[in-house]
Amino acid sequence: MNAIVEKALDLWGLSGAAYDLVAARENAVFRVTYDGSTVALRLHRKGYRTDQELQSELHWMAAVATGGISVPSPIPATSGAMLQVVDGVQVDVLS
């Protein structure tokens, strides 16, 4: 799992950031700390949701946050995509 996290951190421009597992339920959620900031990196359970379902969730969360409601906001990878697949695992990062 650490190899997937480290590959994902590279995709978000967070290489070398400190991370630790904070939840392992439906998703494995990691706290990532870099430059004094903290974000959540989610590794989604394989086969549980489609890419389209997760992209819809992330777009919805972004829209709600833009509307002024306090929710975690998706953070795009350096490519601009909010969802990446690393070694077959769907990954996203939230504020």
Side-chain angles (χ1 to χ4, degrees), residues 5-90:
V5 171
E6 291 176 19
K7 288 178 184 179
L9 290 174
D10 290 344
L11 295 172
W12 268 267
L14 301 171
S15 298
Y19 62 90
D20 58 299
L21 181 66
V22 294
R25 294 183 296 267
E26 177 181 320
N27 305 313
V29 181
F30 292 83
R31 178 186 306 115
V32 177
T33 306
Y34 70 101
D35 291 337
S37 297
T38 302
V39 296
L41 183 142
R42 299 190 300 175
L43 303 182
H44 296 272
R45 186 172 64 183
K46 285 186 179 184
Y48 190 66
R49 298 277 185 226
T50 66
D51 289 352
Q52 293 78 16
E53 288 172 324
L54 292 173
Q55 288 168 348
S56 176
E57 174 190 32
L58 293 166
H59 286 288
W60 178 84
M61 291 171 75
V64 169
T66 300
I69 297 173
S70 180
V71 297
S73 298
I75 298 171
T78 57
S79 69
M82 289 190 281
L83 180 69
Q84 297 283 344
V85 178
V86 177
D87 296 342
V89 177
Q90 298 154 312

